[in-house]
Amino acid sequence: MHADGLPGTAAGDPSPPPGLVVTGRYDQGPGYGVNRPHGSDSWLFTFTTGGRGTIRQGGARAEAVAGHLVVLAPGVAHRYAVAPGAPHWRFWWAHCQARPTWAPWLGPYAVADGLYVVAPVPTALHDRVEAAFGRMLADARRPAPGAPPEEDPVAVAHGSLARELALCALEEAVLLAVSGARAPAPEPGDDARVRHAEELIAADPGASHTVRSLAESVALSPSRFAHLFTLRTGRPPMRALREARLRHAARLLEATDLTVERVAAASGFPSPFHFSRVFRARYGVPPGAYRAGERP
């Protein structure tokens, strides 16, 4: 048996099905480890309270010691285990779908694509973070109507009330950790990387840009690039790209006789219907009316 109380397989260790909230507390000895070559369908949060563990994602490696909140995003190949030479690794863990508001909190602590290390959490906050995880476990154990109470060290939240209470407790743990830990300082050249990505978008907004392609152009991981871009511009990269495409489309409508379909394609919108919808949401009128001068 591995973390999550699930049996391992030759193809890698399984993870809980998406949508479940599963949590527990482990104190594992040498030899314990989990390997997921295809990642997990849910987010994994770990908070170490004793001993030492190692968590790897691709070529990135993080050490988990007391006061470290280490988070893995879904779909990222990873391995974690008791660190070599360590007598044990004691940690809280939780699998769930992260709330959308958590991503900006974790962004400054990204060390690789899908790997976040919130550390060190000040010692004065350790008890409060532990207490939040403890409430999460207790709330996840809240029995469904007619079911006996759970005593297993691993708990699956049954029912919407148990899930929401457990997620609220985890949210408190994440908030406490990020409010106390010191985010890594920006590296020299980060601003120049973001400016270069903005220049690429402005030069050809109709190109098939993606977060990954823009990140590769400035030698950053997609998660690190998205965080830096949002931090320095106030907008996620794809929102900035959409706005640039809409501005480009507006200029084409004003200055050319291209059909709406051609304008959409030249501005990076493969579907004229989607283009018309987002254009109207941005400018208040459909593309044809905008060209005719009917503008709010």
Side-chain angles (χ1 to χ4, degrees):
M1 301 284 281
H2 295 278
D4 322 323
L6 301 170
T9 67
D13 300 306
S15 62
L20 289 183
V21 176
V22 189
T23 185
R25 187 186 187 191
Y26 281 163
D27 193 348
Q28 301 288 352
Y32 165 83
V34 168
N35 178 34
R36 296 192 178 104
H38 304 292
S40 169
D41 291 325
S42 56
W43 288 74
L44 172 62
F45 296 78
T46 68
F47 182 71
T48 299
T49 59
R52 192 168 80 255
T54 58
I55 299 177
R56 298 177 183 272
Q57 181 271 311
R61 176 182 179 276
E63 186 171 81
V65 297
H68 284 206
L69 177 72
V70 182
V71 183
L72 288 167
V76 179
H78 59 255
R79 294 179 292 157
Y80 52 94
V82 176
H88 72 120
W89 181 22
R90 185 172 65 248
F91 61 103
W92 293 92
W93 58 267
H95 273 283
C96 65
Q97 295 301 319
R99 287 173 169 167
T101 52
W102 299 358
W105 303 344
L106 295 170
Y109 302 92
V111 297
D113 187 12
L115 175 62
Y116 307 85
V117 181
V118 184
V121 176
T123 304
L125 292 176
H126 288 194
D127 287 347
R128 292 185 63 186
V129 175
E130 275 210 76
F133 271 99
R135 286 198 305 278
M136 183 183 188
L137 181 59
D139 289 331
R141 283 175 174 163
R142 182 181 293 266
E150 295 184 33
E151 296 297 334
D152 194 276
V154 176
V156 180
H158 295 289
S160 59
L161 176 61
R163 284 195 297 271
E164 286 304 309
L165 286 171
L167 287 174
C168 285
L170 179 58
E171 183 170 84
E172 181 181 350
V174 175
L175 265 175
L176 286 167
V178 300
S179 69
R182 180 175 298 175
E187 297 180 4
D190 280 349
D191 287 327
R193 292 186 177 103
V194 171
R195 285 197 301 272
H196 181 60
E198 288 185 293
E199 291 166 359
L200 290 175
I201 291 173
D204 190 2
S208 56
H209 299 298
T210 64
V211 171
R212 182 171 295 279
S213 69
L214 291 168
E216 289 175 351
S217 71
V218 294
L220 289 171
S221 73
S223 61
R224 179 66 177 164
F225 166 72
H227 162 67
L228 289 174
F229 192 99
T230 305
L231 185 66
R232 282 158 174 72
T233 69
R235 302 166 297 170
M238 290 298 98
R239 185 186 301 171
L241 176 61
R242 185 178 64 182
E243 291 174 359
R245 287 174 170 172
L246 288 170
R247 288 193 300 270
H248 181 64
R251 288 194 295 269
L252 290 178
L253 290 169
E254 293 168 359
T256 74
D257 293 326
L258 293 174
T259 63
V260 170
E261 290 76 9
R262 292 282 302 278
V263 168
S267 303
F269 295 96
S271 164
F273 302 103
H274 172 69
F275 165 63
S276 294
R277 186 172 67 253
V278 296
F279 189 94
R280 182 168 189 164
R282 172 65 178 82
Y283 290 101
V285 293
Y290 183 92
R291 167 174 277 162
E294 301 173 17
R295 305 168 194 172

